[in-house]
């Protein structure tokens, strides 16, 4: 999913950096504040980062004959929201750009924006809507993770479409082409990602529902034994 | 072992196995990244030349699976470590 090194023209690369940097900075401030207030949040933060580390390393074949990887940002979105998730995603993206030639430093801003900000922001909104609609927590987490995954890839499609509008049909035609490549491959992977994160969440609720309640991730009655 | 723990253990095991499978599998399937890059030329009518090159995988491309494995391993270790920590400190909550 990551846009490769040098593939975005300098203007677009700079624009996505400019949009991503303030969110990352706010995420760092928020992490310092959260951990300063409650040290018990550190393992939750680590779990959120671990999900991104593990799931984004799995390059899996999909139904279309092509391969892709999940993003793992759904857990961070549910627990801490998009700003904190952007910091965690940045760490993973820097590792992959540095050691795996996956993504790149010139495209880091665009990749952080799609995987660390836009996807988790949409996922977070879905989670809040599900909570207000009194959807069960595991179902809400599943929806969050799956939608965050798909939203990430649609954002990447939009980023590429804006930078490379088609000679016939412009940005729209270009977006549909890129989304066709990404979304079809990603759909089954997003469902798998949603199931995996929802099942681990179920266990986390059983273990430390009290911490999740303090973060307002759970309604009080959900975590009550 | 309660039901939630069994489920979580199963998920972590599946993740671990998937990581191993992904690393060992024949990566013949084309990545969506590569497909998207190829489409740029088709859409704009001209081949796009990247203006920067990735630093490359340390030690060559053959090390890429190992480094992906390090990434997955580090993540799994943290995940298991945190779940174990919570389980051990559950009674203190």
């Amino acid at each position: 999913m990551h846009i490769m090194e040098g593939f975005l023209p300098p203007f677009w690369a700079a624009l996505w950096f400019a949009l991503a940097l303030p969110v990352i900075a706010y995420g760092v401030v928020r992490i310092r504040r959260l951990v300063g207030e409650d040290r018990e949040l550190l393992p939750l933060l680590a779990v959120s980062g671990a999900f991104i580390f593990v799931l984004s390393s799995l390059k899996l074949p999909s139904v279309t004959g092509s391969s892709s990887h999940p993003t793992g940002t759904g857990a961070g979105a549910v627990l801490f929201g998009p700003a904190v998730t952007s910091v965690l995603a940045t760490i993973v993206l820097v590792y992959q750009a540095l050691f795996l030639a996956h993504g790149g430093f010139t495209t880091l801003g665009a990749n952080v924006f799609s995987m660390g900000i836009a996807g988790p922001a949409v996922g977070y909104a879905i989670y809040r809507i599900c909570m207000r609609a009194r959807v069960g927590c595991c179902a809400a987490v599943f929806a969050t993770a799956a939608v965050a995954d798909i939203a990430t890839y649609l954002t990447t499609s939009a980023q590429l479409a804006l930078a490379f509008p088609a000679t016939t049909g412009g940005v729209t035609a270009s977006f549909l082409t890129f989304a066709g490549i990404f979304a079809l491959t990603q759909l089954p992977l997003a469902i798998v990602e949603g199931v995996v994160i929802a099942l681990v969440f179920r266990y986390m609720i059983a273990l430390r529902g009290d911490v999740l309640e303090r973060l307002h991730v759970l309604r009080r009655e959900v975590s009550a034994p | 072992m309660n039901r939630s723990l069994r489920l979580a253990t199963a998920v972590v095991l599946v993740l671990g196995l998937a990581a191993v499978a992904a690393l060992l599998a024949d990566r013949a399937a084309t990545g969506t990244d590569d497909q998207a890059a190829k489409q740029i030329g088709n859409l704009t009518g001209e081949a796009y030349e990247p203006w920067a090159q990735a630093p490359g995988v340390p030690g060559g491309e053959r090390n890429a699976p190992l480094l992906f494995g390090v990434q997955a391993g580090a993540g799994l270790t943290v995940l298991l470590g945190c779940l174990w920590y919570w389980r051990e400190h559950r009674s203190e909550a």
Side-chain angles (χ1 to χ4, degrees), chain B residues 51-84:
Chain B
W51 56 280
Q53 291 297 322
V57 180
E61 276 296 321
R62 65 198 165 95
N63 286 338
L66 176 70
L67 290 164
F68 268 115
V70 168
Q71 182 186 331
L76 273 175
T77 304
V78 171
L79 191 58
L80 284 172
C82 289
L83 292 178
W84 173 83

Side-chain angles (χ1 to χ4, degrees), chain A residues 64-216:
Chain A
T64 54
S66 55
S67 66
S68 189
H69 59 80
T71 62
T73 54
V78 168
L79 292 169
F80 299 105
V84 170
T85 309
S86 75
V87 179
L88 302 173
T90 302
I91 295 167
V92 176
L93 288 166
V94 166
Y95 173 87
Q96 293 186 336
L98 194 59
F99 294 115
L100 297 164
H102 191 50
F105 288 104
T106 61
T107 52
L108 186 63
N111 289 330
V112 168
F113 188 87
S114 60
M115 184 171 132
I117 299 171
V122 174
Y124 184 72
I126 293 288
Y127 186 75
R128 288 292 152 201
I129 290 168
C130 287
M131 284 291 98
R132 280 192 187 169
R134 306 191 86 74
V135 173
C137 188
C138 285
V141 170
F142 166 81
T144 301
V147 170
D149 184 313
I150 293 290
T152 297
Y153 283 82
L154 290 177
T155 306
T156 302
S157 303
Q159 289 170 325
L160 287 170
L162 286 166
F164 302 104
T167 44
T168 312
V171 173
T172 309
S174 198
F175 173 77
L176 291 174
T177 302
F178 288 120
I181 293 169
F182 288 128
L184 283 177
T185 302
Q186 204 58 30
L187 197 59
L189 302 185
I191 292 169
V192 170
E193 177 172 354
V195 170
V196 166
I197 292 184
L199 287 177
V200 174
F201 242 80
R202 195 185 160 99
Y203 184 52
M204 285 163 61
I205 292 169
L207 283 182
R208 295 310 303 267
D210 58 318
V211 178
L212 299 182
E213 235 178 51
R214 283 211 298 278
L215 275 174
H216 304 292

